[in-house]
Amino acid sequence: MSSMTRKEQQQHANLLQGTLDMLILRTLLYGPAHGRHIGKHIQRTTNDFLQMQHGSLYPALHRLERKGWVSSKWEMAPDRNRELKYYRLTEQGRKQLLVEESKWKQMAEAVARVMWPAAEES
Amino acid sequence: MNWLHFRRRDRDLDRELQSDLEMEEEEQRERGLSADEARYAARRAFGNVTLIREQTHAIWSWSWLESLMRDLRYALRTLLRVPGFSATVVLVMSLGIGATVAMFTVVHSVLMKPLPFPDQERLVRIYDADAQDPTRNHTAVSGPDFFDWRQQQHSFEQMAVAWNLSSYNLSGTAGLLPEHIDALTASWNLYGLLGVKPALGRFFDAHDDQQGANATVVLSWGLWKRRYEGDPNILGRTILLDAKPYTVIGVLPEGQDFPDATAQVWTPFLHETPTQWMQSHGAHNFQVLARLKPNVTVLQAQAEMSAIQAGIHRQFPSNWVSTAAHVVPLLESRVGKIKPALLMLFAATGCLLLIGCLNVANLLVARSAARRREAAIRTALGGGRWRLIREQIAESVLLCAAGGLLGLFLAWIAVRWLLTLHSDIPRAEGIHLDSFAIIAGIGTVLFCGMLAGLVPALTFKERQILGPLQESTRSQGAAHTGAQARRVLLSLEVSLTVVLLVGASLLLKSYQRLRSVDLGCRTDHLLTMGISLPDATYKTPVERAHFYDTLLERVRALPGIEVAALTDRLPGTGDFSDEGFFIPENPPLPAGQSLDADVSDVDPGYFQAMQIPLIKGRFFQQNERLGRSEHAIVSQSFVHKYLSHTDPIGKHINIDSSSTSHNFEIVGIVGDVHTSVASDVEPAMYFPLFRGEQNGVSLAVVTGPDPLTIALPVQKVIANMDPNLAVSDVLTMNQILGKSTLDASLEAMLVMAFAVVSLLLAAVGLYGVLSYLVTQRRGEIGIRLALGAQRTKVLESMLIDGLRPAMVGLVLGMLVSAGATRQMQSMLYGTSPFDAATFILVPIVLFAVAAAACCVPAWSASRLDPMQALRME
């Protein structure tokens, strides 16, 4: 992270905007997880390309909870001897994930069509 | 979500963040870091925990309400710590808000509130008008025009006609005193057209409204309550109006003051109006009201009516017959005259409010500049920028709310005061601080709070954390951010002040012009009163002439009365009566054309009593009366306009009315008088009052130092002659003139008051900014002085620094004024909107005040003791 310039960080932040909710929901599809776990997972899966800022992670989680897409519960962590706050996907959240996913796909396709018109022809 | 729940959320969030932080720490330790290093690493990875907590916390909002309370509490504490500052701001705001809310109340009640009639937007007035400029040159409608309109139009559901009878003598019966009451005569459908229902009995029907019908009358609620004590048996009773019996058939509902609040009885139009009034298309006597059909617009109706009237003019081509008609919405016709004055005053209060806001913003900017360190520290500790801005706004909203509360109270007082002074505002009875005004007041408070708070709040810069913290140690030459914002605010303030000053001095000048108008006759020590002789008891000219003769004789015999005179039309009162005529000695006019002049009847002693000079010829003589009275006296401007080529004495004036044709020989020429203070001199002609034609006259007596003391003896003389006669409008000439210039004086006074307050505010603002700058630059000035800078140089540079925003504001203000005063043209009498004296004087005054305000801090800067200034750091 220290090697990253300020500009790159900015890029990541922009990329995350609006898609963070979807990524969290998708992560929770694997099963319940606590906040830090979710953040780490996203970061690891993208090979550290997406840096999880705590400042956006927690507000996002609470936002999703408020909307009723995830629910939370304090549970004992299996690998550690402590209680952690686990988030899990609700039924509504599952539906929302599908919606977000299809929206994202449409968006990506639309962008692709503009960016690489040749690929479309072939 | 309740508060407990809320607390639980908070604890939950704390625990979550804490546990994740510990996890991070554990993981770091597992990687082999020491306990301390692991804790720091975890903290670094997490970033600003407080900020995260705040932001996450905000997700569970309605926290806006919670934080609003906190902001307000915090703001209140901060403000109470500086009571002097807070009190000043509250006072300034209350002045601005009070004035604005008061003016808004008046503007809203008078100009905007719909009239109290069903579908009032379909009600219109129709005037006879001039096709060249129908909106300006419109007049009352002639009878035949009205009847033609009613027959030919398709735009209106109904059309009614009305006119103000000057008055009736209501005879005393059964212990009631005789009374002189204003009356209105209207076609039978007027109140049906308006949609008003009687409180008692009925209105006229078509049967009552014709000549030869039984005389009927409808009473106003006020007259019924006052004189007849609300007696429900009044219906069917007979009252004597001008000594003729009328049957009371109805009572109007309470508060029904349309079209004339002074009218106390209503009589049917065709029954009351003399037939000769309705024979000429050129005799403009009546008011016409109409209700538009649902789908017809005012413009469509206007087009149709103008076409009809143009047709009438083609049929009767005379310059007395109008060439077009003008349709005006009823509301507009009632308040159109006062509209520019009200809007001007409203704009002035708006300026005052803006200046108040700017001043408060200015003070807040100063405070926020002083609190930059606090802001920087809080930002460093994780306070969001939005939070700081919100707090700033909370502070100013709080100030404005306190100011608003006080302001509403001031507005309440101001509205009452305005109404006692300015009681002739149309629809004045509807003016009071209602919920609408209070809502407007609250809106104003919020607007001001936002405006005053946002300006300083925006000078916070998030990234500037280190700057203020470092600069505080040695502040020379820094800290200009706040000062810059304040300079801009000051320039705006000064420019608004200039606009107010220019407007105020124009109005003041116009008012002085108005008061110093020489009417052309005496105005001091002059007492006047109106007398009206009922036709029923004074049937013939002989009886009337005899009454006037006796009256003058007896009044002149009273002790303390120097002279007395009678006329049917006093100068300066605005009374005006046009009469068409021709001069037989002049070349004949084209068919249908005639000359016109203002006409009055006067007694032989009138000109001497009123000190109107005789230019040539002679006055009327005592024996020129009744049949031997075919003489006329004309004014100088009459001669100038109509008889400039020859000797006017001995020429004739022929008044060719429908009934008679009279030739009057001109025997004298007198000086010009103004019919009202604001009007130009019009050609005038005078006929002998002793012809006995007039039954309504004004008595004018010249007395000692206090004219009003003589009123009672004079009234006794009149009562002795005829106990049934009522006397009206007992006023001195100065009271009459004061009344007619009251509006102008009030407007000038109010705007001048606003201007002075804003000048004061601007001066305080200038003083404050420069004092602040001087304090900021103490160190710098100290160093300069220590290095040998001359004190005059320091004084000069500080003065220039302070005066620059004032000069910018001055120039801006002059430019805006030049545009704004043009809108005031209709309110100015004998004063150009670009009055040179004003546009020279205002900048001088403003510059002087600004220089005075800047001198004190600049002087103290130049007197600075360098050693002391440097040691202070």
Side-chain angles (χ1 to χ4, degrees):
Chain A
M1 177 167 174
S2 56
S3 63
M4 244 184 246
T5 66
R6 195 175 189 88
K7 209 172 173 182
E8 278 168 312
Q9 272 183 33
Q10 201 71 39
Q11 249 175 4
H12 295 150
N14 287 343
L15 185 69
L16 274 171
Q17 240 164 36
T19 56
L20 181 60
D21 288 5
M22 181 178 76
L23 296 182
I24 293 173
L25 290 176
R26 178 67 185 81
T27 309
L28 287 177
L29 208 54
Y30 297 119
H34 56 87
R36 227 180 74 80
H37 181 98
I38 298 169
K40 288 256 175 219
H41 175 83
I42 293 172
Q43 201 166 325
R44 224 172 17 240
T45 320
T46 61
N47 289 331
D48 285 350
F49 181 71
L50 296 181
Q51 295 282 328
M52 276 323 294
Q53 304 276 342
H54 290 90
S56 33
L57 179 65
Y58 290 100
L61 281 169
H62 285 249
R63 191 166 51 238
L64 292 175
E65 190 178 356
R66 183 152 197 223
K67 285 179 179 164
W69 295 339
V70 302
S71 60
S72 69
K73 203 175 174 192
W74 288 89
E75 281 168 29
M76 284 302 282
D79 51 343
R80 284 170 206 277
N81 189 23
R82 58 155 70 240
E83 258 198 331
L84 290 175
K85 192 181 181 190
Y86 277 86
Y87 293 89
R88 65 185 72 230
L89 214 50
T90 62
E91 205 39 54
Q92 234 186 321
R94 238 174 260 277
K95 279 183 201 143
Q96 184 61 28
L97 178 59
L98 290 179
V99 173
E100 300 259 323
E101 207 177 337
S102 80
K103 259 203 303 204
W104 177 258
K105 254 188 203 150
Q106 277 176 346
M107 174 80 183
E109 275 165 24
V111 171
R113 245 176 251 138
V114 177
M115 293 307 295
W116 304 284
E120 182 72 7
E121 281 164 25
S122 65
Chain B
M1 207 185 312
N2 61 30
W3 189 75
L4 263 176
H5 198 96
F6 207 72
R7 288 293 292 264
R8 211 171 53 78
R9 280 270 166 225
D10 257 0
R11 277 205 307 277
D12 191 72
L13 177 62
D14 274 348
R15 187 168 159 212
E16 181 180 11
L17 289 173
Q18 189 59 37
S19 78
D20 279 6
L21 197 59
E22 280 165 16
M23 287 253 297
E24 179 83 40
E25 212 178 305
E26 270 171 43
E27 275 173 28
Q28 298 284 3
R29 258 207 310 279
E30 279 158 22
R31 275 202 223 153
L33 291 177
S34 74
D36 277 351
E37 276 173 328
R39 186 154 61 249
Y40 290 134
R43 292 254 165 200
R44 264 201 306 279
F46 246 73
N48 193 329
V49 180
T50 322
L51 192 58
I52 294 173
R53 191 188 294 129
E54 287 259 313
Q55 282 168 349
T56 314
H57 179 90
I59 295 295
W60 298 99
S61 57
W62 67 285
S63 70
W64 64 269
L65 192 70
E66 177 211 29
S67 61
L68 182 72
M69 290 312 293
R70 192 175 45 207
D71 287 348
L72 287 179
R73 223 173 24 237
Y74 190 77
L76 188 64
R77 272 211 305 269
T78 325
L79 290 175
L80 287 181
R81 238 182 289 146
V82 278
F85 166 84
S86 307
T88 314
V89 171
V90 166
L91 205 67
V92 168
M93 285 321 285
S94 70
L95 276 178
I97 291 175
T100 308
V101 170
M103 257 346 271
F104 175 81
T105 306
V106 176
V107 166
H108 173 250
S109 317
V110 175
L111 299 185
M112 287 150 72
K113 245 187 221 167
L115 294 166
F117 303 116
D119 295 324
Q120 61 99 25
E121 65 284 349
R122 276 161 53 203
L123 296 172
V124 295
R125 280 282 299 270
I126 312 174
Y127 301 90
D128 266 336
D130 180 1
Q132 302 293 323
D133 189 0
T135 50
R136 280 193 159 189
N137 294 327
H138 61 228
T139 60
V141 179
S142 70
D145 281 356
F146 168 73
F147 294 113
D148 285 359
W149 289 353
R150 199 169 58 178
Q151 208 172 19
Q152 296 176 31
Q153 60 86 15
H154 302 285
S155 303
F156 303 98
E157 275 178 1
Q158 289 192 69
M159 213 181 248
V161 60
W163 61 282
N164 289 70
L165 274 170
S166 51
S167 52
Y168 285 116
N169 268 310
L170 178 54
S171 304
T173 42
L176 294 172
L177 291 170
E179 206 176 332
H180 196 76
I181 50 176
D182 285 331
L184 191 101
T185 176
S187 36
W188 63 275
N189 59 341
L190 175 68
Y191 285 101
L193 181 154
L194 290 174
V196 173
K197 294 195 168 43
L200 209 64
R202 60 174 182 90
F203 288 137
F204 312 115
D205 54 26
H207 182 73
D208 300 317
D209 189 13
Q210 51 183 307
Q211 291 203 328
N214 289 329
T216 47
V217 63
V218 170
L219 307 183
S220 78
W221 177 272
L223 183 72
W224 178 57
K225 277 280 170 198
R226 176 172 60 78
R227 193 173 165 100
Y228 302 104
E229 290 160 350
D231 179 8
N233 295 323
I234 187 77
L235 297 180
R237 254 172 58 185
T238 300
I239 61 173
L240 294 174
L241 296 178
D242 282 352
K244 280 184 282 188
Y246 283 75
T247 309
V248 178
I249 59 163
V251 175
L252 277 174
E254 190 175 8
Q256 175 51 50
D257 59 350
F258 188 82
D260 186 345
T262 60
Q264 305 199 53
V265 294
W266 277 258
T267 48
F269 178 75
L270 289 176
H271 185 266
E272 292 300 306
T273 312
T275 31
Q276 67 263 29
W277 283 38
M278 286 187 272
Q279 283 162 350
S280 161
H281 278 277
H284 300 268
N285 289 312
F286 307 122
Q287 306 173 26
V288 172
L289 269 132
R291 181 176 281 275
L292 285 167
K293 284 180 182 165
N295 294 320
V296 179
T297 66
V298 171
L299 277 179
Q300 287 165 337
Q302 165 78 58
E304 189 198 8
M305 295 310 295
S306 276
I308 293 175
Q309 187 57 38
I312 294 173
H313 182 79
R314 273 194 299 279
Q315 213 179 332
F316 303 95
S318 147
N319 61 352
W320 287 94
V321 177
S322 297
T323 47
H326 184 38
V327 181
V328 187
L330 192 56
L331 181 60
E332 170 95 22
S333 79
R334 288 203 76 187
V335 300
K337 265 192 193 146
I338 198 161
K339 205 171 172 177
L342 283 187
L343 290 182
M344 185 265 309
L345 282 180
F346 192 41
T349 53
C351 278
L352 186 67
L353 181 66
L354 261 181
I355 289 173
C357 276
L358 292 175
N359 228 29
V360 171
N362 212 335
L363 290 167
L364 287 173
V365 168
R367 263 169 57 76
S368 82
R371 286 165 61 192
R372 283 179 82 212
R373 281 191 72 187
E374 179 197 336
I377 291 171
R378 288 179 56 184
T379 311
L381 292 179
R385 180 177 181 224
W386 177 230
R387 231 357 254 286
L388 290 175
I389 291 179
R390 254 187 3 219
E391 252 165 44
Q392 186 78 62
I393 290 178
E395 244 175 63
S396 68
V397 166
L398 212 60
L399 285 172
C400 291
L405 221 58
L406 194 60
L408 275 180
F409 178 66
L410 287 182
W412 182 70
I413 295 176
V415 165
R416 302 193 61 159
W417 176 74
L418 202 70
L419 282 182
T420 53
L421 271 183
H422 214 317
S423 54
D424 58 336
I425 298 178
R427 314 179 73 198
E429 66 289 343
I431 302 176
H432 42 79
L433 268 191
D434 50 9
S435 51
F436 205 88
I438 290 170
I439 290 169
I442 293 170
T444 316
V445 166
L446 286 178
F447 168 77
C448 295
M450 289 296 201
L451 186 71
L454 211 55
V455 175
L458 291 180
T459 58
F460 284 137
K461 297 221 173 56
E462 190 168 28
R463 303 230 176 268
Q464 288 183 354
I465 301 175
L466 284 177
L469 291 178
Q470 288 164 341
E471 133 197 328
S472 57
T473 45
R474 298 202 73 75
S475 66
Q476 288 88 332
H480 274 208
T481 42
Q484 192 53 42
R486 295 187 69 183
R487 282 200 195 101
V488 174
L489 290 177
L490 256 182
S491 295
L492 288 176
E493 213 178 309
V494 169
S495 63
L496 283 172
T497 306
V498 167
V499 175
L500 277 180
L501 275 175
V502 167
S505 51
L506 284 179
L507 286 172
L508 209 63
K509 186 158 183 183
S510 153
Y511 169 65
Q512 278 166 350
R513 282 270 162 85
L514 212 50
R515 275 324 291 260
S516 62
V517 164
D518 181 7
L519 275 188
C521 65
R522 102 183 298 156
T523 55
D524 53 332
H525 297 169
L526 197 57
L527 179 77
T528 71
M529 58 187 82
I531 304 158
S532 150
L533 305 180
D535 282 339
T537 29
Y538 298 86
K539 295 190 191 73
T540 60
V542 181
E543 283 169 290
R544 289 182 214 125
H546 177 255
F547 176 87
Y548 296 143
D549 227 2
T550 325
L551 176 65
L552 278 177
E553 196 179 303
R554 293 196 187 171
V555 169
R556 280 173 186 152
L558 283 174
I561 290 194
E562 293 165 23
V563 237
L566 281 171
T567 173
D568 69 327
R569 221 173 294 286
L570 278 169
T573 53
D575 275 351
F576 186 79
S577 167
D578 246 355
E579 190 104 44
F581 65 94
F582 65 91
I583 297 170
E585 286 84 359
N586 276 5
L589 298 162
Q593 300 266 321
S594 65
L595 313 172
D596 66 302
D598 178 41
V599 57
S600 0
D601 285 10
V602 299
D603 82 286
Y606 173 78
F607 296 106
Q608 277 153 313
M610 296 297 285
Q611 294 178 339
I612 299 170
L614 180 71
I615 312 285
K616 200 172 177 191
R618 61 169 176 87
F619 293 133
F620 295 132
Q621 287 163 1
Q622 281 294 337
N623 62 357
E624 286 171 346
R625 54 172 57 222
L626 302 169
R628 291 194 303 277
S629 58
E630 312 242 302
H631 302 288
I633 293 174
V634 295
S635 72
Q636 250 178 318
S637 54
F638 181 100
V639 174
H640 185 75
K641 194 164 175 188
Y642 300 128
L643 284 165
S644 51
H645 322 293
T646 59
D647 179 14
I649 305 290
K651 300 288 181 297
H652 291 82
I653 292 172
N654 186 290
I655 299 212
D656 188 16
S657 73
S658 50
S659 49
T660 50
S661 175
H662 277 303
N663 258 331
F664 294 89
E665 186 193 341
I666 298 174
V667 296
I669 302 165
V670 293
D672 286 318
V673 293
H674 290 260
T675 51
S676 77
V677 273
S679 69
D680 293 330
V681 166
E682 294 285 337
M685 48 193 182
Y686 302 88
F687 301 119
L689 183 74
F690 289 166
R691 284 191 297 161
E693 298 287 327
Q694 296 299 333
N695 57 1
V697 289
S698 291
L699 173 69
V701 292
V702 180
T703 67
D706 187 3
L708 280 173
T709 55
I710 208 73
L712 211 57
V714 173
Q715 278 172 293
K716 270 187 189 150
V717 166
I718 297 169
N720 278 335
M721 290 173 65
D722 182 347
N724 277 327
L725 274 188
V727 167
S728 61
D729 301 327
V730 182
L731 293 168
T732 67
M733 196 59 171
N734 280 327
Q735 281 173 323
I736 292 175
L737 297 181
K739 246 178 158 180
S740 61
T741 53
L742 181 66
D743 295 359
S745 86
L746 190 66
E747 281 150 20
M749 224 170 66
L750 279 179
V751 178
M752 194 38 108
F754 295 159
V756 168
V757 170
S758 51
L759 186 62
L760 214 68
L761 289 180
V764 170
L766 271 174
Y767 174 82
V769 167
L770 203 58
S771 304
Y772 169 73
L773 276 178
V774 169
T775 323
Q776 287 286 319
R777 292 172 58 185
R778 277 178 81 90
E780 178 203 332
I781 296 168
I783 292 174
R784 282 195 191 187
L785 288 173
L787 292 178
Q790 285 182 343
R791 288 185 186 276
T792 48
K793 273 278 173 220
V794 173
L795 180 70
E796 196 183 300
S797 84
M798 291 313 293
L799 263 184
I800 288 173
D801 223 26
L803 282 177
R804 198 181 301 131
M807 295 318 284
V808 171
L810 186 58
V811 172
L812 199 68
M814 295 307 278
L815 289 177
V816 175
S817 300
T821 52
R822 203 193 304 253
Q823 308 298 319
M824 290 172 52
Q825 185 126 40
S826 70
M827 275 174 286
L828 298 177
Y829 172 80
T831 312
S832 152
F834 304 109
D835 181 59
T838 299
F839 275 79
I840 292 169
L841 205 64
V842 165
I844 292 176
V845 168
L846 195 110
F847 187 81
V849 171
C854 290
C855 256
V856 182
W859 177 256
S860 76
S862 69
R863 294 291 103 190
L864 218 62
D865 176 3
M867 281 325 289
Q868 211 181 356
L870 289 173
R871 241 184 255 126
M872 290 265 291
E873 287 298 319

